[in-house]
């Protein structure tokens, strides 16, 4: 039995931190993936007779009340889909909200307004954390996507509450990532892409410690190619990261880890509007995707892996012309029998867009949190709950 299952919640108010950061359109939920993912947690608590007080953030209101980022549409979605009343509090904390929480019946639901309407959420204001803690007798954190944030609702509120646990969604994410962090079956292949080297230094270093091979694509590949003295034309590069890229490549070589870089590209020349395959980007070509030769090599290495971690698309996959490399990698991943985890917002979107979401072992819902956990340094939100011996 997990600590979440063991919690005594009957008749208790459970303050439930969720990640309901959901895209809205005209004050309606436009994509319910994150709310749907949280439904089993909510249902479990209700069935066990808890009074469920839900809090979440939505968007980046920067400590201000931004009506377009109200959680009210999310509460309405929940009410409709659970076919039950969901009380919505137009404030996040305070006496009125506290009274609403106390008025709940067993199985009842209260959703409070966007945590980030309050400056104290991001600044981890102890007063705000205390006010939040007054909304529940028990605290459950099931918001994986924010575990790397030292916010009041993530690391502060638990200090004021005796009974607390991680929720099942977080447990699932951690179990999935632990299979790679704590002793992946070799060969372990890391696939790294996306826009910037600077975003991915930590995870690159982590993968280099654990993987047998790291395959690099996306715009970040050009900074690495430049570090090797290769021509990158007018592709996106980070000149201030060339030395770092050099260091990472040297480290890998010393440790005998294979780091593969693209040998061909889908690129656009100065006088062209259409994309062509080139091996040499010269001075003028802009690379937008890995080329077919690279994609084949990467697919072959993936097919021989027993463990795979993938973060970052291989090209500007949002455009059909430049989606080929990402698609090839996604298909190789789907076809392989390896234990495979995809982390990162755009990478997850790409694999879903290609209809291959069911063919990988695990797709993480939290980009930043998953990457930080892969780095092996734990997560503040986990430590906050572990500290008191709660798991
Ligand atoms: P994730 O969200 O999976 O961590 P990132 O946010 O790091 O991934 O990177 C995704 C972005 O990188 C996408 O918007 C994609 O268009 C962009 N990208 C990838 N390759 C290139 C490229 N060659 N040129 C420009 N942008 C690229
Ligand atoms: Mg992204």
């Amino acid at each position: 039995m997990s600590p979440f299952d063991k919690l005594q919640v009957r008749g208790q108010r459970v303050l439930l931190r969720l990640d309901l950061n959901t895209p809205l359109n005209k004050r309606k939920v436009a994509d319910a993936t994150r709310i749907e993912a949280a439904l089993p947690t909510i249902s479990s608590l209700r069935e066990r007779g808890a009074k469920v007080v839900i809090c979440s953030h939505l968007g980046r209101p920067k400590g201000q009340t931004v009506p377009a980022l109200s959680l009210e549409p999310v509460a309405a979605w929940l009410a409709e889909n659970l076919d039950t009343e969901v009380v919505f509090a137009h404030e996040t904390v305070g006496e009125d909200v506290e009274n609403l929480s106390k008025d709940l019946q067993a199985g009842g639901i209260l959703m409070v307004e966007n945590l980030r309407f309050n400056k104290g959420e991001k600044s981890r204001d102890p007063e705000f954390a205390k006010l939040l803690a007054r909304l529940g007798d028990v605290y459950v954190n099931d918001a994986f996507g924010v575990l790397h944030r030292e916010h009041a609702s993530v690391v502060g509120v638990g200090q004021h509450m005796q009974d607390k646990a991680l929720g099942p969604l977080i447990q699932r994410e951690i179990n999935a990532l632990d299979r790679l962090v704590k002793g992946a079956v070799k060969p372990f292949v890391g696939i790294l892409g996306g826009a910037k080297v600077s975003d991915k230094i930590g995870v690159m270093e982590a993968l280099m410690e654990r993987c047998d091979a790291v395959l690099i694509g996306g715009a970040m590949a050009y900074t690495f190619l430049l570090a090797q003295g290769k021509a990158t034309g007018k592709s996106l590069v980070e000149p201030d990261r060339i030395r770092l890229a050099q260091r990472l490549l040297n480290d890998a070589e010393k440790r005998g880890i294979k780091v593969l870089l693209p040998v061909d590209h889908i690129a656009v020349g100065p006088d062209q509007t259409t994309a062509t395959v080139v091996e040499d980007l010269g001075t003028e070509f802009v690379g937008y995707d890995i080329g077919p030769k690279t994609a084949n090599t990467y697919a072959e290495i993936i097919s021989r892996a027993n463990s795979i971690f993938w973060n970052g698309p291989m090209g500007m996959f949002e455009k059909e012309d430049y989606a080929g490399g990402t698609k090839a990698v996604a298909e190789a991943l789907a076809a392989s029998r390896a234990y495979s985890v995809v982390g990162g917002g755009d990478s997850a979107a790409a694999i879903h867009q290609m209809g291959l979401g069911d063919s990988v072992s695990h797709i993480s819902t939290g980009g930043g949190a998953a990457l930080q956990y892969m780095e092996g340094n734990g997560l503040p939100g986990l430590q906050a709950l572990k500290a008191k011996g709660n798991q």
Side-chain angles (χ1 to χ4, degrees), residues 194-195 200 218-219 222 236 287-289 311-313 315-318 344-347:
K200 307 284 166 84
Y222 304 116
L236 204 63
Y288 287 114
D289 193 12
N311 167 254
M316 205 195 259
F317 76 100
E318 297 92 338
D346 292 291
S347 325

Side-chain angles (χ1 to χ4, degrees), residues 64-143:
Q64 314 275 336
T65 298
V66 178
L69 296 175
S70 170
L71 276 168
E72 202 168 5
V74 177
W77 187 98
L78 261 188
E80 198 181 316
N81 286 271
L82 292 176
D83 198 17
T84 189
E85 187 193 7
V86 174
V87 181
F88 185 73
H90 291 271
E91 289 167 312
T92 315
V93 291
E95 213 178 298
D96 291 349
V97 188
E98 220 178 304
N99 287 334
L100 288 175
S101 75
K102 288 179 179 154
D103 290 344
L104 286 175
Q105 304 283 320
I109 304 176
L110 166 68
M111 184 179 287
V112 303
E113 187 52 288
N114 194 339
L115 288 159
R116 293 189 188 165
F117 282 5
N118 308 270
K119 288 197 173 65
E121 166 65 356
K122 279 200 165 188
S123 67
R124 208 215 310 182
D125 174 15
E127 284 310 310
F128 181 65
K130 257 187 223 166
L131 288 173
L132 267 179
R134 294 179 70 101
L135 302 180
D137 311 301
V138 176
Y139 168 62
V140 172
N141 185 358
D142 211 9

Side-chain angles (χ1 to χ4, degrees), residues 320-382:
E320 183 65 37
D321 282 354
Y322 311 120
T326 304
K327 200 163 181 204
V329 162
E331 280 168 355
L333 209 71
S336 103
R337 287 209 200 126
Y339 179 71
S340 54
V341 176
V342 178
D346 292 291
S347 325
I351 201 144
H352 282 306
Q353 187 185 305
M354 288 161 186
L356 297 170
D358 292 336
S359 316
V360 294
S361 312
H362 181 72
I363 300 180
S364 180
T365 54
L371 293 189
Q372 197 167 316
Y373 192 73
M374 280 301 291
E375 290 168 29
N377 303 321
L379 292 167
L382 288 183

